[in-house]
Amino acid sequence: MIALITGASKGIGRAIAHSFAGEGLDLILVSRTMRDLAIVKQEIKNLQPGITIHIYSADISKREGIQSLMTYLRTLKIEIDILVNNAGVFIQGEIKSSSSGNLEKMMDTNMYSAYYLTREILPTLLAKKSGSIFNICSIASLDAYPNGSDYCISKFALYGFSKCLREELKDSGIKVISVLPGATWSDSWSGVELPEERIMQASDIATMMAATLRLSPSAVVEEIVLRPQLGDL
Ligand SMILES: NC(=O)c1ccc[n+]([C@@H]2O[C@H](COP(=O)([O-])OP(=O)(O)OC[C@H]3O[C@@H](n4cnc5c(N)ncnc54)[C@H](OP(=O)(O)O)[C@@H]3O)[C@@H](O)[C@H]2O)c1
């Protein structure tokens, strides 16, 4: 089986790549920065030499980026079994004062990338009548929080997309899993001074996702909500 993970060069996406490799999956890792992807590929290869890993750089917030990724997959003659819509960007801000363009950037990266990439991958999964699609939403998909309005709007939208997709695909054999993490160590938190144990590790999210792959075809984990043991910040 082969999994395509977007935003796989860092943070949660990188942890998912490691966890899925641990389950024996081959991988296609995508982000904009080839150098970072090459590092992750090497890390995994050192641990799991038998895994096949392709890396591809594309800006999937743009329709052209998604098209170039699809062309690459066709060249490789690869059929995806698992899609992880993880790439995302976080910009603080309130509706009344956020800079023009911030909402659009987050909608393009956090929501439309998942929507349009899923539409491209779906025909393959529908033909196979199997597969899984993970959408990395957030606890910001559930509640508004101070100074995070535009991000919340994009993540509410992604969660809405994920729920609609689940409903549409119930009869198709394809599992749709919404993942809603709270605060998790990644570059998004760089410079924030907090004790290590105050927020989650990226591997916590990845471990839960990998566990869902072990279920029988008749069961799906529809939602995974994870929060720091000490609660939201
Ligand atoms: N960390 C948290 O506390 C937290 C909590 C809840 C949900 N999440 C969600 O989890 C996901 C991963 O977050 P993270 O914290 O791990 O972020 P991160 O460390 O900043 O990593 C983001 C990843 O997405 C890639 N990316 C960003 N824009 C892209 C684009 N336009 N096209 C392709 N790749 C792109 C980045 O690589 P390049 O920059 O090289 O493209 C990187 O690989 C996001 O959807 C985020 O909203 C995070």
Side-chain angles (χ1 to χ4, degrees):
M1 289 219 292
I2 184 149
L4 189 161
I5 305 168
T6 68
S9 62
K10 291 187 230 165
I12 294 172
R14 171 175 164 271
I16 298 167
H18 274 273
S19 265
F20 281 14
E23 297 293 315
L25 297 183
D26 292 327
L27 302 170
I28 301 167
L29 309 179
V30 179
S31 80
R32 289 168 300 184
T33 314
M34 201 56 166
R35 188 188 61 246
D36 294 343
L37 288 170
I39 292 169
V40 177
K41 177 178 176 175
Q42 195 53 53
E43 286 170 1
I44 297 173
K45 275 282 182 194
N46 291 344
L47 296 166
Q48 314 272 346
I51 302 290
T52 300
I53 305 173
H54 301 282
I55 53 176
Y56 191 72
S57 127
D59 181 349
I60 58 162
S61 69
K62 299 189 164 72
R63 243 40 60 78
E64 311 85 83
I66 290 177
Q67 283 313 319
S68 82
L69 171 60
M70 294 311 298
T71 303
Y72 174 69
L73 296 181
R74 281 190 284 272
T75 312
L76 292 176
K77 296 192 171 37
I78 277 178
E79 290 199 347
I80 303 300
D81 299 291
I82 296 170
L83 171 63
V84 182
N85 289 312
N86 167 74
V89 61
F90 170 73
I91 308 169
Q92 284 194 335
E94 297 187 305
I95 295 166
K96 60 178 180 284
S97 56
S98 70
S99 301
S100 168
N102 281 1
L103 176 63
E104 288 80 356
K105 183 177 168 74
M106 285 191 275
M107 287 298 289
D108 284 341
T109 312
N110 301 351
M111 160 63 198
Y112 289 122
S113 68
Y115 182 91
Y116 286 108
L117 182 56
T118 301
R119 281 164 56 106
E120 293 288 345
I121 302 289
L122 260 182
T124 306
L125 300 184
L126 286 167
K128 290 198 234 188
K129 298 187 172 53
S130 68
S132 298
I133 300 171
F134 293 86
N135 296 307
I136 310 301
C137 307
S138 170
I139 53 141
S141 302
L142 299 173
D143 288 305
Y145 66 85
N147 209 21
S149 297
D150 291 344
Y151 179 72
C152 283
I153 292 166
S154 73
K155 287 293 181 177
F156 267 69
L158 180 65
Y159 184 39
F161 157 73
S162 195
K163 285 169 89 80
C164 292
L165 192 65
R166 160 71 184 135
E167 197 54 40
E168 274 187 30
L169 297 181
K170 267 184 180 159
D171 298 333
S172 70
I174 303 165
K175 302 183 184 192
V176 179
I177 300 121
S178 302
V179 184
L180 296 94
T184 307
W185 284 117
S186 75
D187 277 8
S188 313
W189 291 90
S190 62
V192 177
E193 287 189 20
L194 283 171
E196 175 84 3
E197 65 281 7
R198 180 61 187 88
I199 68 179
M200 294 182 285
Q201 300 296 323
S203 58
D204 292 326
I205 319 306
T207 300
M208 288 302 295
M209 290 171 60
T212 69
L213 301 175
R214 297 179 208 148
L215 301 184
S216 78
S218 53
V220 60
V221 178
E222 290 185 329
E223 298 189 359
I224 302 173
V225 181
L226 298 107
R227 287 193 157 86
Q229 172 62 19
L230 290 166
D232 291 333
L233 287 166

